Amino acid sequence: MRKLCFFAVCLLVMANGAFAQKALKGEKGVSSVGVIGGYAVDNKAGLAGLDFRYNIGDRIRLAPSILYVFNSGDSLEKKNTLYFNADVHYLIRMTDKFTIYPVAGLGLAIWSLDRNYDVMDDEGNIYEDDELPEAYKKSHLHLGLNIGLGCEYRLTKDFIIGAEFKYNLTDQSAFNQAMFLGRIAYYY
C-alpha cells in the first residue's frame, strides 16, 4: 500500500510539473494586434480580418475582432458576411512559448445575400425587394454565441502565430458558421 501511495504522489508531482499553468511574468497588460486569414465552412469561402488582444489578467484575455467572409460565388446566392466579435480567452500555458485557450464570446454577424434568381409568391408573381419574405431579404443581422479552441506559438519576443477554430451559433441555424482561422500578430 505504501508503494502505491508513493507512486500516486510521484505521478501527481510529475503531472503538476508537466501541466502547470503558471503565467509568464508581465503577461497582465500585454497587448497584440494581428492579421487573420482563414476559411468559413458554411460559406465555403475565404475570410480575412483584424484583431486586438489585451490580457486583463495573467490568464484572462479580451479579444475583439472584425472578420470579413468573401463571396462564395458558386451557388445561386452569393453570401458575404461581416463579423464583429467580442471574445474572451482563458490562457493555458503549456510552455513559455506555447499556449492553448478555449474561446467564448459574442458575435454580431451581418449577412449580405445576392440572389441570382427571382422569388415568386404562391400565385407566380415576382416579389419586389421591399416585399420579400424574411428568409429572402438581402441583409440579415444576427447576434450569436462564439465557442471554440485556439493555440498560439511565440516566434520571438514581439511576434506570435496561432490557429483557432471558432463556431458562431445564432438563433437561426441557417446562419450558423464554423471558421478555421490562422493569425500572425505583433505583441507590445
Side-chain angles (χ1 to χ4, degrees), residues 82-122:
L82 182 63
Y83 287 94
F84 296 95
N85 298 301
D87 295 329
V88 176
H89 301 163
Y90 180 77
L91 306 175
I92 303 167
R93 308 239 188 259
M94 303 306 284
T95 68
D96 286 350
K97 293 188 173 201
F98 185 70
T99 303
I100 61 172
Y101 53 90
V103 176
L106 296 175
L108 180 66
I110 303 168
W111 286 70
S112 297
L113 306 177
D114 184 14
R115 293 182 323 280
N116 293 331
Y117 60 90
D118 291 323
V119 179
M120 295 184 198
D121 62 13
D122 294 335

Side-chain angles (χ1 to χ4, degrees), residues 27-79:
E27 285 297 304
K28 182 177 180 180
V30 173
S31 301
S32 70
V33 176
V35 177
I36 300 171
Y39 183 74
V41 175
D42 296 300
N43 277 43
K44 298 181 181 140
L47 62 85
L50 299 171
D51 75 346
F52 173 76
R53 295 181 180 184
Y54 179 74
N55 293 19
I56 61 172
D58 290 331
R59 294 190 184 146
I60 305 293
R61 175 170 60 200
L62 300 178
S65 65
I66 298 172
L67 300 174
Y68 181 77
V69 180
F70 300 99
N71 267 339
S72 57
D74 61 350
S75 66
L76 292 175
E77 290 185 340
K78 295 180 182 177
K79 299 177 258 185

Side-chain angles (χ1 to χ4, degrees), residues 113-120 125-140:
L113 306 177
D114 184 14
R115 293 182 323 280
N116 293 331
Y117 60 90
D118 291 323
V119 179
M120 295 184 198
N125 300 318
I126 297 174
Y127 281 108
E128 297 296 324
D129 284 343
D130 59 343
E131 300 172 343
L132 282 171
E134 186 64 32
Y136 294 99
K137 299 241 177 185
K138 291 188 181 221
S139 180
H140 294 266

